[in-house]
């Protein structure tokens, strides 16, 4: 889908459908809706007077005015109360528009750009483009009949003076959205068709489709069993052992900063399928465990977005990719693993595999890159789904400054994150009798003990852990996403990386 700026008059612009907006409880006066209303003989105002439409959040009114404007259809989208409107709601408001366009098999949409209290034009444009890109996403690789797609989504800005910032915002949103959709395809892919080498192949193709200047700043390396053995990454080796598909360590560098400038490391869980291993999961819902690599896909997509945006930072993504399978060669409960860092871990459940591979990836990132900041994202615990549901990701860390930057990035990107404490008292729960640590901490505070386990490997490096188990995949349409992969936490991280200093 092309996302474009048009400077001009929405009344005269021709598309399959034009979109204007309406806040709840307001008169149809100024703005694009007012102009369209006047041009089509007051049809919007009369629909509101008769109670066909109120401007409530998510509400839509489709008109076929016949004359008065250049386009055949007008869609009025309700935005709810003006005082509650945010940039992220602007993004979410595009989903019902795309739903209608899909049903009618429309090819082109031209939309007014709604404003809101205190939302800068560039920010509004960024969220608008994101909304178009994200809500136009559909995974139809395995469908014989492909979904009808909108080919062109134009945003109409009548004021020439705003063309610069609006164009910049639209380009930003389109770049982030494109990267997110690239990652969503990986998450949605069936597990037999995306095993560790498949994820590695996708990572190698990560620069494809970017402008040459951006692609030139990316370097992807993939390591196999030999290197993983040589580096004594006992966690990755143990988890990968049960599968015929050998593990991979994917390292994607983006050099957007000055040479020699400190790295930001992004570590993402890349379990391409999590059966639980010998501690086998029950069958119900196991098919969903193809999304256990959503953290890894998210970190790779963040590299793609950073390059697309031209972010001036050096960023490296480290993704340990394994398939967690039960077999005669699988690791066992009771095994003690020596990790890359030298610490030993007693395995109590082979289903708590994410922390084992992440611990080695974190140790690798610290040793190789000495990052100034490190963030990991993982579909790590079912406990996080219980605690925060599919609205908010869990956040933990060892550095107040980094945590507060993530909180800010979360607020301005709209990707919700909430902090859980890593109090020292929790350490007791993951102390082992036979080794240094055990890989589960009992039934209490499961998200925290998983985070605490990772903290033991981050050392002094400022680090934040994001548990995205609840938010990486949604069963129901929610928060502007169709059911399926969400691409979390790419919006949060691009916002964090975009910040100066
Ligand atoms: N991949 C799962 C966590 C998960 C659960 C993600 C549900 C998404 C939805 C992880 O590897 C796992 O199995 N964790 C266990 C840990 C337990 C054995 C301590 C869990 O949460 O049950
Ligand atoms: Zn597991
Ligand atoms: Zn897992």
């Amino acid at each position: 889908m092309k996302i474009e700026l048009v400077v001009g008059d929405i009344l005269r612009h021709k598309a399959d459908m034009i979109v204007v907006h309406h806040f709840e409880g307001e008169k149809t006066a100024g703005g694009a809706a007012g102009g369209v209303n006047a041009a089509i003989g007051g049809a919007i105002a009369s629909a509101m007077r008769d109670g066909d439409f109120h401007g409530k959040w998510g509400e839509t009114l489709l008109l076929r005015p016949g004359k008065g404007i250049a386009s055949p259809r007008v869609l009025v989208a309700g935005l709810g109360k003006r005082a509650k409107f945010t940039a992220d709601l602007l993004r979410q408001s595009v989903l019902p528009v795309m739903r209608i366009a899909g049903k009618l098999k429309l090819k082109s949409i031209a939309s007014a750009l709604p404003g809101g209290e205190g939302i800068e034009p560039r920010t509004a444009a960024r969220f608008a483009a994101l909304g178009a890109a994200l809500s136009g996403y559909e995974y139809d690789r395995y469908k014989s009949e492909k979904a009808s797609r909108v080919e062109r989504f134009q945003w109409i800005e009548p004021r020439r003076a705003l063309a610069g910032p609006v164009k910049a915002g639209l380009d930003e949103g389109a770049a982030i959205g494109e990267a997110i959709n690239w990652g969503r395809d990986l998450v949605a892919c069936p597990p037999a068709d995306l095993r560790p080498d498949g994820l590695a192949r996708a990572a190698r193709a990560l620069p494809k489709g970017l402008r040459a200047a951006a692609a030139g700043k990316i370097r992807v390396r993939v390591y196999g069993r030999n290197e993983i053995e040589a580096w004594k990454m006992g966690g990755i080796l143990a988890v990968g052992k049960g599968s015929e598909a050998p593990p991979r360590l994917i390292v994607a560098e983006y050099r957007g900063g000055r040479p020699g400038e400190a790295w930001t490391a992004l570590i993402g869980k890349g379990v391409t399928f999590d059966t639980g291993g010998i501690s086998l999961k029950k069958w119900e819902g196991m098919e969903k465990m193809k999304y256990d690599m959503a953290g890894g896909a998210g970190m790779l997509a963040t590299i793609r977005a950073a390059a697309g945006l031209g972010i001036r930072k050096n960023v490296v993504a480290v993704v340990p990719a394994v398939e967690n399978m039960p077999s005669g060669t699988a690791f066992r409960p009771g095994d003690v693993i020596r990790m890359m860092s030298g610490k030993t871990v007693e395995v109590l459940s082979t289903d708590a595999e994410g922390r084992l591979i992440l611990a080695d990836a974190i140790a690798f990132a610290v040793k190789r890159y000495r990052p100034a900041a490190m963030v990991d994202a993982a579909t790590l615990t079912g406990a996080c789904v219980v605690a925060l549901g599919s609205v908010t990701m869990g956040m933990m860390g060892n550095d107040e400054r980094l945590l507060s930057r993530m909180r800010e990035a979360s607020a301005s990107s709209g990707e919700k994150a909430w902090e859980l404490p890593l109090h020292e008292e929790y350490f007791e729960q993951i102390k082992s009798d036979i080794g240094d640590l055990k890989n589960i901490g009992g039934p209490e505070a499961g998200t925290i003990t998983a985070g605490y386990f990772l903290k033991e490997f981050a050392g002094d490096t400022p680090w934040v852990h994001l548990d995205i188990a609840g938010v990486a995949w949604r069963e129901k349409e929610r928060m502007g996403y169709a059911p399926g992969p969400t691409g979390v936490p790419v919006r949060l991280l691009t916002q964090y990386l975009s910040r100066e200093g």
Side-chain angles (χ1 to χ4, degrees):
M1 180 178 35
K2 284 212 174 75
I3 297 172
E4 299 167 343
L5 166 69
V6 172
V7 178
D9 182 357
I10 199 161
L11 301 177
R12 280 199 231 135
H13 189 78
K14 197 160 171 6
D16 293 340
M17 178 167 82
I18 62 165
V19 183
V20 294
H21 303 86
H22 215 295
F23 286 108
E24 188 179 346
E26 294 187 7
K27 283 243 162 61
T28 311
V36 170
N37 180 56
I40 62 174
I44 300 175
S46 46
M48 294 191 75
R49 194 177 48 241
D50 296 347
D52 294 11
F53 180 79
H54 307 87
K56 287 202 167 72
W57 170 249
E59 200 186 0
T60 53
L61 172 71
L62 183 62
L63 299 169
R64 272 276 199 173
K67 57 177 196 274
I69 57 165
S71 299
R73 298 177 193 83
V74 175
L75 185 73
V76 192
L79 300 181
K81 294 256 160 52
R82 186 184 288 270
K84 282 177 105 182
F85 194 62
T86 61
D88 196 50
L89 286 177
L90 199 171
R91 172 190 67 80
Q92 296 183 36
S93 73
V94 188
L95 189 62
V97 173
M98 286 303 244
R99 282 266 173 280
I100 289 166
K103 225 178 274 163
L104 301 177
K105 299 198 165 46
L106 308 183
K107 294 288 166 217
S108 63
I109 297 178
S111 175
L113 191 57
E117 310 290 345
I119 307 174
E120 301 276 333
R122 180 170 174 164
T123 307
R126 183 166 73 238
F127 280 82
L130 252 176
L134 296 181
S135 52
Y137 175 79
E138 195 162 335
Y139 189 67
D140 60 5
R141 182 170 156 191
Y142 295 87
K143 293 252 196 223
S144 307
E145 210 163 302
K146 303 297 180 198
S148 156
R149 285 177 195 272
V150 171
E151 282 158 14
R152 182 168 284 219
F153 204 117
Q154 296 168 314
W155 294 92
I156 314 281
E157 174 51 62
R159 295 158 291 185
R160 174 150 303 276
L162 291 182
V166 169
K167 170 84 167 64
L170 290 179
D171 289 348
E172 286 162 4
I176 300 168
E178 191 279 332
I180 290 176
N181 290 343
W182 177 87
R184 284 165 118 183
D185 273 348
L186 300 177
V187 177
C189 188
D193 294 349
L194 193 98
R195 297 173 92 190
D197 65 323
L199 187 57
R201 210 171 319 119
R204 279 210 195 87
L206 187 156
K208 238 173 69 186
L210 291 169
R211 283 171 290 110
K217 295 188 178 134
I218 296 177
R219 186 157 161 192
V220 181
R221 293 192 190 82
V222 176
Y223 303 104
R225 194 180 266 144
N226 289 343
E227 288 102 339
I228 297 172
E229 265 168 17
W231 294 328
K232 301 192 166 69
M233 298 174 134
I236 299 175
L237 285 170
V239 180
K241 238 166 49 158
S243 171
E244 278 180 23
R248 295 282 183 266
L249 183 71
I250 303 164
V251 180
E253 291 177 354
Y254 164 67
R255 293 174 190 261
R258 281 178 279 105
E261 202 172 290
W263 289 93
T264 301
L266 307 176
I267 291 107
K269 175 175 174 181
V271 177
T272 62
F273 193 60
D274 182 12
T275 65
I278 295 299
S279 315
L280 195 63
K281 288 181 182 294
K282 69 175 193 299
W283 68 270
E284 277 171 304
M286 197 197 278
E287 76 287 350
K288 285 276 301 294
M289 282 300 122
K290 68 175 184 179
Y291 90 91
D292 216 15
M293 35 60 73
M299 293 324 200
L300 295 171
T302 301
I303 294 286
R304 190 170 164 96
L309 293 169
I311 286 175
R312 290 235 227 322
K313 292 231 167 75
N314 295 329
V315 190
V316 59
V318 180
V319 179
V322 296
E323 187 178 48
N324 189 21
M325 295 293 256
S327 78
T329 58
F331 75 132
R332 315 156 189 78
D335 284 353
V336 176
I337 306 169
R338 189 174 293 278
M339 310 289 282
M340 183 186 191
S341 76
K343 281 192 167 47
T344 57
V345 179
E346 177 189 7
V347 177
L348 291 188
S349 167
T350 62
D351 197 10
E353 82 297 341
R355 65 199 77 183
L356 298 173
I357 65 168
L358 288 168
D360 278 343
I362 287 171
F364 174 86
V366 169
K367 188 164 174 219
R368 271 284 184 99
Y369 289 90
R370 306 243 158 257
M374 180 161 66
V375 183
D376 81 76
T379 46
L380 205 60
T381 64
C384 194
V385 189
V386 174
L388 299 171
S390 62
V391 174
T392 310
M393 64 186 104
M395 176 166 88
M396 286 138 268
N398 63 2
D399 184 81
E400 191 38 51
R401 199 172 101 111
L402 184 58
L403 278 163
S404 88
R405 292 195 163 192
M406 296 305 278
R407 270 192 290 269
E408 281 167 29
S410 167
S412 43
S413 68
E415 278 191 336
K416 297 188 192 324
W418 200 258
E419 192 185 348
L420 298 172
L422 292 181
H423 298 144
E424 258 179 64
E425 285 83 348
Y426 291 107
F427 182 58
E428 214 175 278
Q429 285 175 245
I430 53 168
K431 255 200 259 168
S432 165
D433 295 332
I434 186 173
D436 301 327
L437 297 166
K438 54 188 184 188
N439 79 330
I440 63 175
E444 292 180 7
T447 302
I448 292 175
T449 51
Y452 208 110
F453 183 95
L454 297 179
K455 178 169 109 87
E456 291 300 297
F457 296 86
D460 301 330
T461 304
W463 155 84
V464 160
H465 160 57
L466 303 172
D467 193 327
I468 59 170
V471 294
W473 187 286
R474 291 209 179 93
E475 287 301 316
K476 293 207 187 91
E477 180 172 311
R478 195 171 199 185
M479 296 166 89
Y481 293 94
T486 59
V488 153
V490 179
R491 294 198 286 134
L492 168 70
L493 291 176
T494 48
Q495 183 69 42
Y496 163 72
L497 292 170
S498 299
R499 184 195 151 116
E500 296 298 316

